[in-house]
PDB file of all heavy atoms in Angstrom:
ATOM      1  N   ARG A1668      -1.144 -15.996 -55.277  1.00 97.00           N
ATOM      2  CA  ARG A1668      -0.959 -14.543 -55.240  1.00 97.00           C
ATOM      3  C   ARG A1668      -2.329 -13.894 -55.082  1.00 97.00           C
ATOM      4  O   ARG A1668      -3.251 -14.224 -55.815  1.00 97.00           O
ATOM      5  CB  ARG A1668      -0.314 -14.130 -56.566  1.00 97.00           C
ATOM      6  CG  ARG A1668       0.125 -12.706 -56.645  1.00 97.00           C
ATOM      7  CD  ARG A1668       1.479 -12.458 -56.038  1.00 97.00           C
ATOM      8  NE  ARG A1668       2.570 -13.043 -56.813  1.00 97.00           N
ATOM      9  CZ  ARG A1668       3.826 -13.067 -56.409  1.00 97.00           C
ATOM     10  NH1 ARG A1668       4.160 -12.579 -55.237  1.00 97.00           N
ATOM     11  NH2 ARG A1668       4.761 -13.607 -57.165  1.00 97.00           N
ATOM     12  N   ASN A1669      -2.460 -12.996 -54.103  1.00 97.00           N
ATOM     13  CA  ASN A1669      -3.724 -12.283 -53.910  1.00 97.00           C
ATOM     14  C   ASN A1669      -3.728 -10.997 -54.723  1.00 97.00           C
ATOM     15  O   ASN A1669      -2.668 -10.494 -55.104  1.00 97.00           O
ATOM     16  CB  ASN A1669      -3.911 -11.966 -52.419  1.00 97.00           C
ATOM     17  CG  ASN A1669      -3.885 -13.230 -51.576  1.00 97.00           C
ATOM     18  OD1 ASN A1669      -4.565 -14.196 -51.894  1.00 97.00           O
ATOM     19  ND2 ASN A1669      -3.073 -13.240 -50.523  1.00 97.00           N
ATOM     20  N   GLU A1670      -4.914 -10.467 -54.955  1.00 96.00           N
ATOM     21  CA  GLU A1670      -5.028  -9.258 -55.786  1.00 96.00           C
ATOM     22  C   GLU A1670      -4.272  -8.071 -55.204  1.00 96.00           C
ATOM     23  O   GLU A1670      -3.788  -7.219 -55.942  1.00 96.00           O
ATOM     24  CB  GLU A1670      -6.495  -8.892 -55.992  1.00 96.00           C
ATOM     25  CG  GLU A1670      -7.075  -9.640 -57.180  1.00 96.00           C
ATOM     26  CD  GLU A1670      -8.581  -9.506 -57.282  1.00 96.00           C
ATOM     27  OE1 GLU A1670      -9.136  -8.520 -56.754  1.00 96.00           O
ATOM     28  OE2 GLU A1670      -9.201 -10.410 -57.892  1.00 96.00           O
ATOM     29  N   ASP A1671      -4.182  -8.002 -53.869  1.00 96.00           N
ATOM     30  CA  ASP A1671      -3.490  -6.861 -53.247  1.00 96.00           C
ATOM     31  C   ASP A1671      -1.967  -7.019 -53.225  1.00 96.00           C
ATOM     32  O   ASP A1671      -1.269  -6.215 -52.611  1.00 96.00           O
ATOM     33  CB  ASP A1671      -4.018  -6.654 -51.823  1.00 96.00           C
ATOM     34  CG  ASP A1671      -3.683  -7.821 -50.890  1.00 96.00           C
ATOM     35  OD1 ASP A1671      -3.054  -8.809 -51.351  1.00 96.00           O
ATOM     36  OD2 ASP A1671      -4.033  -7.754 -49.702  1.00 96.00           O
ATOM     37  N   GLY A1672      -1.444  -8.058 -53.891  1.00 95.00           N
ATOM     38  CA  GLY A1672       0.014  -8.240 -53.965  1.00 95.00           C
ATOM     39  C   GLY A1672       0.568  -9.139 -52.880  1.00 95.00           C
ATOM     40  O   GLY A1672       1.720  -9.546 -52.947  1.00 95.00           O
ATOM     41  N   THR A1673      -0.234  -9.443 -51.848  1.00 97.00           N
ATOM     42  CA  THR A1673       0.235 -10.377 -50.821  1.00 97.00           C
ATOM     43  C   THR A1673       0.087 -11.802 -51.359  1.00 97.00           C
ATOM     44  O   THR A1673      -0.505 -12.018 -52.420  1.00 97.00           O
ATOM     45  CB  THR A1673      -0.593 -10.247 -49.523  1.00 97.00           C
ATOM     46  OG1 THR A1673      -1.959 -10.574 -49.823  1.00 97.00           O
ATOM     47  CG2 THR A1673      -0.506  -8.840 -48.945  1.00 97.00           C
ATOM     48  N   SER A1674       0.625 -12.770 -50.619  1.00 98.00           N
ATOM     49  CA  SER A1674       0.513 -14.167 -51.025  1.00 98.00           C
ATOM     50  C   SER A1674      -0.042 -14.991 -49.872  1.00 98.00           C
ATOM     51  O   SER A1674       0.134 -14.630 -48.707  1.00 98.00           O
ATOM     52  CB  SER A1674       1.878 -14.726 -51.411  1.00 98.00           C
ATOM     53  OG  SER A1674       2.356 -14.063 -52.562  1.00 98.00           O
ATOM     54  N   THR A1675      -0.710 -16.071 -50.217  1.00 98.00           N
ATOM     55  CA  THR A1675      -1.244 -16.993 -49.211  1.00 98.00           C
ATOM     56  C   THR A1675      -0.555 -18.333 -49.393  1.00 98.00           C
ATOM     57  O   THR A1675      -0.481 -18.853 -50.517  1.00 98.00           O
ATOM     58  CB  THR A1675      -2.772 -17.145 -49.395  1.00 98.00           C
ATOM     59  OG1 THR A1675      -3.374 -15.869 -49.152  1.00 98.00           O
ATOM     60  CG2 THR A1675      -3.356 -18.166 -48.431  1.00 98.00           C
ATOM     61  N   ILE A1676      -0.055 -18.881 -48.297  1.00 98.00           N
ATOM     62  CA  ILE A1676       0.631 -20.177 -48.376  1.00 98.00           C
ATOM     63  C   ILE A1676      -0.408 -21.299 -48.343  1.00 98.00           C
ATOM     64  O   ILE A1676      -1.231 -21.360 -47.445  1.00 98.00           O
ATOM     65  CB  ILE A1676       1.686 -20.306 -47.231  1.00 98.00           C
ATOM     66  CG1 ILE A1676       2.414 -21.634 -47.307  1.00 98.00           C
ATOM     67  CG2 ILE A1676       1.098 -20.122 -45.841  1.00 98.00           C
ATOM     68  CD1 ILE A1676       3.360 -21.705 -48.457  1.00 98.00           C
ATOM     69  N   VAL A1677      -0.341 -22.175 -49.345  1.00 98.00           N
ATOM     70  CA  VAL A1677      -1.284 -23.302 -49.425  1.00 98.00           C
ATOM     71  C   VAL A1677      -0.573 -24.595 -49.020  1.00 98.00           C
ATOM     72  O   VAL A1677      -1.128 -25.405 -48.282  1.00 98.00           O
ATOM     73  CB  VAL A1677      -1.864 -23.420 -50.855  1.00 98.00           C
ATOM     74  CG1 VAL A1677      -2.726 -24.669 -50.993  1.00 98.00           C
ATOM     75  CG2 VAL A1677      -2.662 -22.173 -51.204  1.00 98.00           C
ATOM     76  N   GLY A1678       0.671 -24.780 -49.491  1.00 98.00           N
ATOM     77  CA  GLY A1678       1.366 -26.038 -49.209  1.00 98.00           C
ATOM     78  C   GLY A1678       2.854 -25.848 -48.960  1.00 98.00           C
ATOM     79  O   GLY A1678       3.429 -24.808 -49.282  1.00 98.00           O
TER      80      GLY A1678
END
Side-chain angles (χ1 to χ4, degrees):
R1668 188 83 70 187
N1669 302 311
E1670 274 170 24
D1671 65 359
T1673 62
S1674 295
T1675 296
I1676 181 72
V1677 174

